[in-house]
Amino acid sequence: MTFVRVIARAGRAACGLPFLFWAVAACAQLAPDPASGIAPKRIAAGQRFMVAAAHPLAVDAGYEVLKRGGTAMDAAVAVQLVLGLVEPQSAGLGGGAFIVHYSAADKRVRTYDGRETAPASARPDRFTGAFGRPMGFIDSVLSGKSVGVPGALAVLELAHRNHGRLEWAGLAAPAIELAEKGFAISPRLHALLEWDKWLARDPFAARYLYDASGRPKPVGTTLRNPEYAATLREVAADGAQAFYRGAISTDLVAAVRNHPVGGGDLTVEDLASYQPKDRAPVCGPFREYRVCGMGPPSSGGIAVLQILGLLERLPKTDFAREPLQAVHYFAEAARLAYADRDRYVADPDFVDVPIAGLLAPTYLAERARLIAADRSLVRAQPGRPPGAQRTAFADGVTLDLPSTTHFSIVDAEGNAVALTASIEFVFGNHRFVRGFLLNNELTDFSFVAEEGGRPVANRVESRKRPRSSMSPTLVFDADGRLVLIVGSPGGHAIIHYVARVIVAALDWGMPLQQAVDAPHFGSRNGPTDLEAGTPVEGLRRRLEALGHPVRIVELASGVHAIQRVGDAWVGAADPRRDGAARGE
Ligand code: DON
């Protein structure tokens, strides 16, 4: 396919039929925001390299690195450090990340775990409140108890050591420059500041993000964060150890222990002993493709593969012609996947997760037989995959809160990065330290430690990593060529967004931007969720007639994806956020 046709195809994806509703929405969003001047270019095509991420300034930083011959991992470092500044609501140095990396030279996928860890002193009843009930939101999420040892910087450094080419020190330069010269408040950051009720209580946030009367600074206001620049200068000069040992770690620990809402128990030893992990990727087939993602402690890779594996064993759907059938089967497959996820998946250093059993063809076939064409399961039970422990675990109870970021990068040699990073809740723990926000990732542990005498796999334990839903994913075709790089924020619903975009791109034949823009739906083994304000709302009555307990909800994905089209790359950014794509 020629380059012009690639661009034309990408353009048609956003601005063409048959999805008129989405075409109008997608085209309209390409206009610059008048206040911030941000003109997200949500679709891009390139023959050599591509980056798609949640903020145009981060995309530009990645693009410049790729242009001067950096690898996808070099660009990933630059992109993440800029996002930590311009998208503070989502992720940053105070949080964690998962990286799925593809090395074109040795055709190898590697996955890196930079998930937060619980302090050594953490115990299973950490989030148990009065009368044995789960603790309330403020006492858990907004107190020092929720802060885990951040893993983002350590995992960036590890993956960069293995896959980087450019000097680590130079990769922080774009973020340092922006932090010192300033950047404009984006519409999304402003909207979240308007919505948030707690951040202004943090003294740094009050000065940085709010005006003298306590109102969020308007869209377009220039923000400068010299504290973040100073932190990055230390990290650029001395590497991640500047963060995990020394003055930054002392300040971080002091902020957690002296937390105004309730002191936490993090120690400098917890930070000094943090280890990012090189984990085995979780890969499996979907039709003629091979899909690779992040294994435990993320549930994302397994659940995405289970949904795809179940769909492959059901009648193939076409969303454009039979949306009811497409939504029904997808939601049912998701119910079964989430039932297993809640029962079996947790930190593999603590729990024997039956990964092979959960993805075994015989097991998937057995589970697919539970799905009927004409009625919903409503609530699926977890299965008994081969290799599941005899002492069965009980299902956990976790929160579901909005933030997180995902970006996708491919470099001129064909190396790729899918990276999803998080501080968990929007603005994380709502405390700034040295220019970045702390995470509340420990509230991704189950709030109940046992049920009916059986332990919950994802209960809190000393130095354990909380289970995640983050699903950075790579897809390869039958010839082993990388064809799709995808991921999203969205809490538990991340799994839906990623699986749905893969199905839309590969099964329904939608061009990438259309696949990203299309309405979301699914079920986390409770209600059947349909994305509010989209055409799938119209399926409500017919789904209810099949027994689906329907809920119309906002489903704010932030999919940033790249697809191979012929010999070129198309990048797409989600219209639900501020993101962009850029390549050449
Ligand atoms: O690791 C996880 O699954 C969550 N901490 C992610 C949170 C999230 O994506 C919120 N999203 N919008």
Side-chain angles (χ1 to χ4, degrees):
M1 191 176 300
T2 66
F3 189 58
V4 173
R5 279 178 63 200
V6 170
I7 295 185
R9 192 160 180 230
R12 270 205 309 282
C15 304
L17 293 169
F19 286 83
L20 188 58
F21 176 92
W22 290 97
V24 172
C27 292
Q29 295 219 8
L30 293 175
D33 176 81
S36 67
I38 292 174
K41 192 168 178 305
R42 294 200 301 101
I43 314 161
Q47 279 176 310
R48 296 177 57 231
F49 55 77
M50 182 64 60
V51 49
H55 195 290
L57 291 171
V59 168
D60 289 349
Y63 172 90
E64 295 302 336
V65 169
L66 294 171
K67 201 162 168 62
R68 56 190 174 98
T71 64
M73 196 55 229
D74 291 327
V77 175
V79 170
Q80 182 56 64
L81 296 182
V82 171
L83 285 174
L85 175 73
V86 299
E87 201 202 18
Q89 66 269 24
S90 295
L93 299 186
F98 291 115
I99 303 173
V100 180
H101 183 273
Y102 176 64
S103 165
D106 53 11
K107 297 193 181 310
R108 181 168 172 207
V109 176
R110 289 175 75 170
T111 55
Y112 295 95
D113 167 358
R115 187 67 163 166
E116 294 86 340
T117 52
S121 55
R123 297 290 173 264
D125 63 356
R126 189 175 188 82
F127 297 118
T128 309
F131 310 110
R133 291 207 201 97
M135 197 177 266
F137 170 82
I138 303 233
D139 290 338
S140 57
V141 173
L142 299 183
S143 81
K145 279 178 185 286
S146 68
V147 184
V149 179
L153 201 53
V155 80
L156 283 175
E157 186 179 68
L158 170 64
H160 178 262
R161 203 180 299 137
N162 288 348
H163 308 292
R165 177 179 300 134
L166 304 184
E167 285 288 319
W168 166 264
L171 298 172
I176 292 172
E177 191 181 328
L178 277 169
E180 286 173 345
K181 288 195 175 150
F183 65 96
I185 294 186
S186 73
R188 182 170 169 81
L189 173 55
H190 181 262
L192 290 170
L193 289 169
E194 286 279 2
W195 171 86
D196 191 88
K197 294 191 261 315
W198 308 279
L199 188 62
R201 295 179 200 165
D202 177 70
F204 178 87
R207 291 194 307 277
Y208 179 44
L209 299 166
Y210 298 85
D211 66 19
S213 65
R215 303 269 316 142
K217 292 178 182 172
V219 175
T221 308
T222 300
L223 294 179
R224 289 186 188 81
N225 187 342
E227 285 84 346
Y228 186 66
T231 301
L232 288 186
R233 281 190 199 286
E234 287 191 41
V235 165
D238 298 330
Q241 65 151 347
F243 182 94
Y244 290 93
R245 295 158 193 272
I248 300 174
S249 71
T250 319
D251 284 2
L252 197 156
V253 165
V256 173
R257 297 187 82 92
N258 305 323
H259 202 293
V261 179
D265 48 355
L266 207 64
T267 64
V268 286
E269 291 76 34
D270 289 324
L271 265 96
S273 60
Y274 183 82
Q275 292 291 334
K277 303 224 167 174
D278 184 345
R279 302 244 187 225
V282 171
C283 296
F286 176 53
R287 308 202 194 280
E288 72 267 35
Y289 300 96
R290 183 167 172 77
V291 179
C292 289
M294 193 72 222
S298 183
S299 58
I302 296 172
V304 167
L305 277 164
Q306 279 198 325
I307 292 174
L308 298 175
L310 292 167
L311 290 175
E312 196 174 347
R313 289 164 172 84
L314 297 167
K316 194 170 178 184
T317 63
D318 180 351
F319 181 68
R321 285 192 294 121
E322 296 167 308
L324 179 73
Q325 196 189 28
V327 174
H328 169 67
Y329 281 133
F330 188 92
E332 297 298 281
R335 282 192 160 84
L336 288 164
Y338 277 81
D340 280 351
R341 165 191 183 275
D342 290 347
R343 177 64 56 94
Y344 295 112
V345 184
D347 185 341
D349 295 340
F350 288 74
V351 169
D352 192 6
V353 185
I355 302 174
L358 288 163
L359 299 175
T362 47
Y363 179 68
L364 290 173
E366 175 194 317
R367 297 287 278 169
R369 280 196 291 276
L370 299 173
I371 298 177
D374 56 357
R375 79 196 132 74
S376 172
L377 287 160
V378 182
R379 186 156 182 89
Q381 295 304 313
R384 290 287 290 171
Q389 285 188 347
R390 255 173 214 290
T391 359
F393 286 113
D395 300 345
V397 176
T398 50
L399 296 176
D400 180 22
L401 304 165
S403 78
T404 306
T405 199
H406 173 84
F407 58 83
S408 297
I409 303 176
V410 63
D411 67 26
E413 288 139 61
N415 306 305
V417 166
L419 188 155
T420 313
S422 180
I423 49 172
E424 172 44 17
F425 187 36
V426 59
F427 302 114
N429 181 262
H430 288 65
R431 304 299 299 176
F432 272 97
V433 176
R434 291 191 171 233
F436 61 85
L437 278 161
L438 297 177
N439 72 83
N440 66 294
E441 215 75 57
L442 300 188
T443 53
D444 272 353
F445 279 118
S446 175
F447 275 40
V448 300
E450 58 157 64
E451 192 62 59
R454 287 179 303 161
V456 169
N458 186 34
R459 67 189 177 281
V460 185
E461 293 181 77
S462 167
R463 299 226 154 118
K464 190 175 178 181
R465 294 167 191 229
R467 183 186 61 211
S468 172
S469 302
M470 292 192 268
S471 312
T473 305
L474 303 177
V475 182
F476 300 85
D477 70 10
D479 299 324
R481 295 191 319 163
L482 177 66
V483 291
L484 190 61
I485 311 165
V486 62
S488 178
H492 303 184
I494 290 172
I495 292 162
H496 288 145
Y497 303 151
V498 172
R500 213 276 291 128
V501 171
I502 293 173
V503 170
L506 303 183
D507 256 9
W508 304 336
M510 290 184 183
L512 185 63
Q513 188 70 57
Q514 191 175 315
V516 172
D517 295 359
H520 289 306
F521 43 80
S523 174
R524 294 167 237 178
N525 205 17
T528 297
D529 290 337
L530 303 177
E531 186 176 1
T534 76
V536 288
E537 276 194 21
L539 299 174
R540 176 177 206 144
R541 298 274 168 266
R542 291 163 70 201
L543 283 164
E544 283 172 347
L546 298 182
H548 286 264
V550 172
R551 183 171 68 165
I552 309 289
V553 276
E554 296 291 329
L555 291 170
S557 61
V559 177
H560 298 106
I562 298 173
Q563 186 174 27
R564 180 192 290 277
V565 181
D567 289 328
W569 299 105
V570 169
D574 201 316
R576 300 164 185 87
R577 303 212 178 196
D578 291 335
R582 191 174 175 198
E584 75 168 41

